[in-house]
Amino acid sequence: MHLSAVLNALLVSVLAAVLWKHVRLREHAAGLEEELARGLRAAEPASPRADYPKALQTLMEGGSHMVCTGRTHTERLCRFQGLCYSSEADEFIFFHGNRSAMLPNLGARRFQPALLDLSAVEDHNAQYFNFVELPAAALRFLPTPAFLPDVALIANRFNPDNLMHVFHDDLLPLFYTLRQFPGLARHARPVFMEGWGEGAHFDLYRLLSPKPPLLRAQLRGLGRLLCFPQAFVGLSKVTTWYQYGFVQPQGPKANILVSGHEIRQFAHFMMEKLNASRGGAPLGEDYILVLTRTHNRLILNEAELLLALAQEFHMKTVTVSLEEHAFADVVRLVSNASMLVSVHGAQLVTALFLPRGAAVVELFPYAVNPDHYTPYKTLATLPGMGLQYVAWRNTMPENTVTHPQRPWDQGGIAHLDRAEQARIMQSREVPRHLCCRNPEWLFRIYQDTRVDVSSLLQAIRRVVKGRPGPQKQKWVVGLYPGKVREARCQAAVRGAAEARLTVSWQIPWNLRYLKVREVRYEVWLQEQGENTYVPHVLAGQNHTFTENIKPFTTYLVWVRCIFNKSLLGPFADVLVCTT
């Protein structure tokens, strides 16, 4: 009897725990559904539940629909109707029905290696997106589908715990992807499928859309089969400027397509959302801002550094820590600073909030070459950012404190064999390497540093002339000339061996509306049938060519305008001129 009573009590407690967990899951799912319904009611007067029969009928009869832009998986963004997600299989599903379309129809090439990248980090094999295919008739045998009532933007966050990755790989691409399609910024709900939890900076993701983001774990509570009547999949990569070294050592992207103007538009949006753009300079005067850390990469003589900067530039010096201050307060301070000083690290991405004319000073620990790690230099020097960039490197081993006994991901090397530990300790420069777990790189970047103030001030003065500080906004990215107009040529022949070719044109149409310091014209001459051409840069709008001009010969002539020596306009239509 005693054993029976114990077993019965144990059974009751187990059943109670299961029931409690079931109730909590039901409550969680109901809460998500109610939140989704509230989001839809804010955008549309109709109830989301009213269209369920229609949505189900459309999916079962018509199937899924896909149209993509971009030629390769690294460029592609896709718009779906009726895309579904099975939480049990952890797979997206494309249902083929009477009205299904799939453009591009890649066949097996869709798996070489994927349809598209879910992340803005290019061609990373952990960020690929694809789907499985089923006939729409298979819906009869699957769990009853639930429908997300919002337009979804489905993507992956790359590393939501690292502020550089949050801004560079997630927030900026999300911001401009939402603006690539009409109305998407107002109505889309981001859906993040990488599987991370919210992370330390999830509140920043909430700022991008009126609809709060959903995580993959939350989709399971909405239904075993969740369908998206309208979904956009993937992120634009046009705002990214850096590659992290997965295939080759890290560095700026080969083809950067973003300028400082686009970065600053995004920064202005974020500042408005954070209420960080109001009230003017928070300290009422010009100041230098030093970003500090509390656990690693410490500046060991911080007080000496602050005093030296204040005396050199006759400004107040202020410290702020992302670990101890609200992010909005950090942004408010950065956005009014004359100079931002920080050890190399993710917090330097906040430089995108600096005003034009400010200086970025990046401090590198011993044995870390600034030329090998340039995400913040690349950001600061984008055309239109208007920032001054300074890199300083500790070259004195006696001014560094290492931490070989820490965990490996904090720079520890105790797990390595003694010979490798000794080599790393004696190394004077981290060699170029791939991402992401190079022990020598981690050992050196997590050092604490005593800054040699004299050499730092010399480095700053080599770049920063005069007093750094905010400047009034001016248009710094040049405007390009249009085509020259009414290009024509006229030939003259004198005897059997002498000829001249006169080429004339009118100024580009947009030149009359622009203030341009210098205008030049480039003329290319190519003898028909030859592979080479002769370029000429001219100041006027007509020119007579005599050198190497042959009688009774056909020449191809191209003309274009150049502003300020570097802004090259398009060539006008080719002229065919016969002497």
Side-chain angles (χ1 to χ4, degrees):
M1 290 293 293
H2 180 70
L3 179 61
S4 176
V6 170
L7 291 175
N8 286 337
L10 181 62
L11 180 60
V12 168
S13 63
V14 169
L15 288 174
V18 171
L19 288 172
W20 180 84
K21 185 175 181 180
H22 175 73
V23 169
R24 291 300 301 271
L25 288 173
R26 288 286 299 273
E27 291 175 348
H28 180 64
L32 287 173
E33 290 178 350
E34 178 59 26
E35 192 277 327
L36 291 173
R38 285 198 304 270
L40 186 70
R41 285 196 293 271
E44 301 176 10
S47 166
R49 300 181 184 275
D51 291 331
Y52 181 88
K54 181 180 178 181
L56 182 59
Q57 181 181 7
T58 299
L59 180 62
M60 295 189 70
E61 294 180 357
S64 306
H65 187 278
M66 179 191 83
V67 176
C68 302
T69 61
R71 297 185 61 184
T72 67
H73 74 280
T74 60
E75 302 171 349
R76 198 168 285 139
L77 295 175
C78 294
R79 181 174 183 174
F80 285 87
Q81 296 175 358
L83 178 69
C84 296
Y85 172 72
S86 168
S87 58
E88 294 176 337
D90 192 23
E91 294 272 13
F92 283 94
I93 306 171
F94 185 100
F95 288 103
H96 286 273
N98 296 331
R99 291 184 294 276
S100 289
M102 190 184 290
L103 292 174
N105 198 325
L106 298 172
R109 289 175 294 166
R110 180 161 63 83
F111 312 115
Q112 301 171 0
L115 177 65
L116 54 83
D117 293 336
L118 272 180
S119 166
V121 175
E122 186 166 317
D123 201 25
H124 192 291
N125 60 8
Q127 309 297 326
Y128 291 155
F129 170 85
N130 237 315
F131 52 77
V132 298
E133 300 174 76
L134 286 175
L139 281 162
R140 295 197 301 267
F141 309 102
L142 294 173
T144 302
F147 291 90
L148 188 77
D150 305 307
V151 178
L153 175 58
I154 299 172
N156 276 3
R157 298 171 299 164
F158 189 72
N159 183 354
D161 289 330
N162 179 288
L163 199 60
M164 169 64 183
H165 289 296
V166 167
F167 274 92
H168 180 266
D169 307 325
D170 301 345
L171 297 180
L172 261 162
L174 279 163
F175 178 79
Y176 279 105
T177 302
L178 286 167
R179 280 149 186 80
Q180 187 168 334
F181 302 97
L184 202 58
R186 294 191 304 274
H187 302 301
R189 183 183 297 276
V191 178
F192 298 133
M193 296 301 302
E194 78 290 327
W196 291 74
E198 287 189 353
H201 309 289
F202 197 65
D203 284 345
L204 298 178
Y205 294 90
R206 296 180 189 272
L207 301 178
L208 296 182
S209 172
K211 308 291 180 65
L214 286 173
L215 304 179
R216 186 175 72 183
Q218 294 174 307
L219 301 187
R220 299 186 178 96
L222 299 179
R224 295 159 64 194
L225 181 63
L226 180 64
C227 296
F228 305 90
Q230 296 283 344
F232 293 80
V233 182
L235 290 176
S236 170
K237 299 179 177 66
V238 296
T239 60
T240 58
W241 64 84
Y242 207 72
Q243 58 85 16
Y244 300 117
F246 296 113
V247 177
Q248 59 186 4
Q250 65 171 274
K253 289 178 63 175
N255 184 25
I256 297 175
L257 301 175
V258 66
S259 78
H261 291 291
E262 290 75 42
I263 302 293
R264 290 193 174 278
Q265 287 182 31
F266 162 78
H268 177 75
F269 170 88
M270 294 296 289
M271 289 170 63
E272 288 288 327
K273 291 292 185 180
L274 289 166
N275 292 321
S277 60
R278 300 172 185 173
L283 303 181
E285 58 183 300
D286 293 343
Y287 57 90
I288 295 171
L289 185 65
V290 179
L291 297 178
T292 63
R293 292 173 173 264
T294 57
H295 302 297
N296 53 55
R297 307 188 210 187
L298 303 180
I299 300 173
L300 298 174
N301 58 332
E302 185 178 293
E304 179 188 1
L305 173 63
L306 295 173
L307 180 61
L309 290 170
Q311 292 175 340
E312 178 72 18
F313 295 99
H314 305 288
M315 292 185 191
K316 179 183 289 188
T317 52
V318 182
T319 63
V320 68
S321 168
L322 272 79
E323 297 154 309
E324 298 178 348
H325 295 83
F327 188 74
D329 294 334
V330 175
V331 169
R332 188 176 294 108
L333 284 167
V334 172
S335 65
N336 290 281
S338 297
M339 182 185 294
L340 181 66
V341 182
S342 173
V343 176
H344 173 83
Q347 61 189 9
L348 261 174
V349 77
T350 57
L352 62 85
F353 294 106
L354 281 170
R356 287 184 172 88
V360 181
V361 181
E362 185 171 8
L363 311 177
F364 287 85
Y366 178 74
V368 179
N369 189 336
D371 293 335
H372 297 172
Y373 310 95
T374 60
Y376 311 111
K377 177 183 179 180
T378 307
L379 167 64
T381 56
L382 287 174
M385 279 304 291
L387 299 176
Q388 304 175 81
Y389 176 82
V390 179
W392 174 86
R393 176 182 182 179
N394 177 25
T395 59
M396 303 178 183
E398 64 270 22
N399 281 354
T400 190
V401 174
T402 61
H403 301 281
Q405 299 304 319
R406 285 180 175 172
W408 72 266
D409 57 346
Q410 298 175 30
I413 55 173
H415 62 289
L416 303 175
D417 64 63
R418 291 187 178 182
E420 180 66 2
Q421 291 183 48
R423 185 196 68 78
I424 290 175
M425 293 287 288
Q426 295 168 10
S427 172
R428 296 183 179 182
E429 181 172 310
V430 179
R432 300 298 296 267
H433 58 89
L434 298 182
C435 188
C436 298
R437 298 189 175 190
N438 182 279
E440 186 171 351
W441 152 251
L442 293 171
F443 175 72
R444 290 302 183 185
I445 198 57
Y446 279 105
Q447 296 171 111
D448 301 329
T449 302
R450 179 179 178 85
V451 176
D452 179 63
V453 171
S454 176
S455 65
L456 171 62
L457 293 179
Q458 290 177 15
I460 295 175
R461 279 306 185 195
R462 282 194 292 268
V463 175
V464 179
K465 307 302 181 183
R467 184 181 176 90
Q471 297 176 351
K472 290 184 178 179
Q473 181 175 349
K474 59 182 179 180
W475 191 265
V476 292
V477 173
L479 302 179
Y480 287 81
K483 289 183 180 181
V484 301
R485 299 173 299 121
E486 301 177 22
R488 61 191 59 169
C489 57
Q490 185 175 355
V493 176
R494 294 184 178 181
E498 183 179 350
R500 60 179 59 196
L501 185 63
T502 300
V503 181
S504 63
W505 56 88
Q506 297 299 315
I507 66 172
W509 177 83
N510 64 333
L511 177 56
R512 68 182 72 182
Y513 303 104
L514 301 175
K515 293 181 180 180
V516 181
R517 292 193 309 273
E518 182 182 28
V519 178
R520 291 288 186 268
Y521 297 93
E522 185 174 23
V523 179
W524 291 5
L525 297 181
Q526 181 182 44
E527 184 178 339
Q528 191 173 50
E530 298 294 327
N531 294 324
T532 60
Y533 64 87
V534 180
H536 304 267
V537 177
L538 310 169
Q541 295 169 231
N542 62 77
H543 188 80
T544 298
F545 299 92
T546 57
E547 187 176 355
N548 297 323
I549 300 299
K550 304 175 184 177
F552 314 111
T553 303
T554 298
Y555 291 91
L556 305 180
V557 182
W558 291 268
V559 185
R560 67 176 170 185
C561 183
I562 303 174
F563 287 171
N564 302 330
K565 296 182 181 180
S566 60
L567 302 175
L568 309 179
F571 282 107
D573 294 341
V574 61
L575 299 174
V576 180
C577 310
T578 303
T579 58

